[in-house]
Amino acid sequence: MQLISDPSEMRRWSRAHHASGKTIGLVPTMGYLHEGHLRLIDNVRGQTDLVVVSVFVNPTQFGPGEDFLTYPRDLERDRALIRDRGGHCVFVPDTSDMYRSDPMVTLVAGPLADHLCGPGRPGHFDGVLTIVAKLFNVVEPDVAVFGRKDAQQARIITCMVQDLDFPIQVVVAPTVRERDRVAMSSRNAYLSPQERLAAGAIPRSLAAAHDLYRQGNNESASLIAAIRRVFGEESLIDIEYVAAVDPETLAPVLTADADTVVALAVRVGKARLIDNIVLGAGVDADEVVG
Ligand code: PAF
């Protein structure tokens, strides 16, 4: 497995493989990999000849006071996991190679960032789009895969690829959950054992909304209230938002249907955790490990 940190070398690697007829899949990550990331590798490995995993904690998507400096990092472990999962190349650029000290042009996510996580994390999706566009330009993948846990990110990136004509197929892969249905996230590493237990309320709350919907209640306000009731019993969790939104515009809907995305962000101790379901599918439609 190749380890590359220089963006020009990365582009040369990809172009050489493209020239010999190989297709390339990209799994963009911020490292500290878990089984959810490894499933993304599996997903793209089934679709392209070669798999590149980028590991880059992108400073421009963190706001002031967020966890950029403390974000968990362990490159040696990540490299071993990627190699064992059949990755062909790990791209680990330095910040100074990805960003000039005074960049003049960045991407703006637009109205899709007006909803869900956008208002609480101003500039976050602009930072995500800018780095993903740069990774696309450096790696030049045929396919790139993102997890559905970050539903808003996946939607915004899908729109970027369409609107800016990137010749890349974006795949959105199912959320991967632990045995108690808590979605896998690098930020779960911040949780104390007690907080990790409390986090079980997140999938339980989404399952409560799903159950209510299946019983015939399609009023978004009732579904959101059902979620809030579950968190009402959990003192270690503070809700940032709960919303039922259109899967394309991400705007809130009054009446939900099977395609509606029910999404939330909560704080559990130091961790800000997000999760969502597609209402017609529910939590149990996702992948469960362990
Ligand atoms: O989802 C992530 O880990 C990041 O937002 C991404 C897509 C790698 C961009 O930094």
Side-chain angles (χ1 to χ4, degrees):
M1 187 179 73
Q2 194 89 18
L3 175 70
I4 298 180
S5 57
D6 175 34
S8 309
E9 191 188 339
M10 183 68 245
R11 191 180 284 118
R12 275 198 300 279
W13 186 94
S14 288
R15 288 190 176 176
H17 284 292
H18 274 144
S20 66
K22 302 268 193 252
T23 54
I24 296 173
L26 173 65
V27 183
T29 80
M30 297 205 300
Y32 211 70
L33 304 184
H34 50 67
E35 182 62 24
H37 295 112
L38 302 178
R39 300 275 170 120
L40 298 179
I41 298 177
D42 294 346
N43 188 306
V44 85
R45 222 182 45 218
Q47 307 190 48
T48 59
D49 299 314
L50 299 169
V51 179
V52 177
V53 180
S54 61
V55 176
F56 181 65
V57 184
N58 171 36
T60 67
Q61 68 189 77
F62 290 80
E66 290 189 354
D67 55 346
F68 172 64
L69 291 175
T70 54
Y71 195 84
R73 292 159 168 92
D74 190 343
L75 183 57
E76 282 321 300
R77 181 174 157 275
D78 288 345
R79 278 174 65 181
L81 287 169
I82 295 164
R83 188 196 52 229
D84 293 350
R85 210 59 171 229
H88 301 91
C89 176
V90 190
F91 177 46
V92 191
D94 281 339
T95 304
S96 56
D97 286 329
M98 287 312 277
Y99 289 109
R100 296 195 294 133
S101 56
D102 53 352
M104 306 291 270
V105 176
T106 55
L107 291 179
V108 175
L112 290 172
D114 291 345
H115 310 291
L116 303 176
C117 293
R121 303 191 73 190
H124 166 71
F125 290 110
D126 302 347
V128 169
L129 281 188
T130 302
I131 194 61
V132 170
K134 288 164 78 71
L135 290 169
F136 284 177
N137 284 332
V138 170
V139 179
E140 300 183 341
D142 302 282
V143 178
V145 63
F146 298 87
R148 196 164 47 226
K149 180 176 77 70
D150 299 288
Q152 185 171 21
Q153 165 173 287
R155 177 69 191 141
I156 292 176
I157 290 169
T158 301
C159 289
M160 174 185 80
V161 163
Q162 285 167 358
D163 293 346
L164 301 185
D165 299 309
F166 281 90
I168 295 170
Q169 185 199 340
V170 172
V171 173
V172 182
T175 299
V176 180
R177 299 182 178 279
E178 296 186 33
R179 199 195 294 259
D180 64 352
R181 307 296 190 263
V182 169
M184 293 196 131
S185 163
S186 303
R187 288 189 169 100
N188 289 351
Y190 297 150
L191 301 173
S192 68
Q194 231 189 344
E195 290 163 351
R196 177 61 189 77
L197 206 61
I202 299 171
R204 276 205 309 282
S205 75
L206 292 170
H210 184 227
D211 286 347
L212 198 59
Y213 174 73
R214 277 194 305 192
Q215 288 157 23
N217 191 331
N218 62 357
E219 242 188 300
S220 293
S222 309
L223 303 174
I224 291 169
I227 290 176
R228 287 184 174 274
R229 263 198 303 282
V230 174
F231 289 126
E233 292 157 18
E234 194 39 83
S235 62
L236 293 179
I237 296 187
D238 289 322
I239 300 175
E240 191 175 292
Y241 70 76
V242 182
V245 301
D246 179 273
E248 290 189 355
T249 64
L250 305 181
V253 294
L254 288 177
T255 307
D257 63 27
D259 295 329
T260 297
V261 175
V262 176
L264 58 84
V266 296
R267 290 199 179 268
V268 194
K270 284 197 300 253
R272 178 184 183 278
L273 301 179
I274 57 173
D275 201 351
N276 68 82
I277 52 168
V278 176
L279 206 45
V283 176
D284 287 332
D286 294 330
E287 290 186 21
V288 177
V289 293

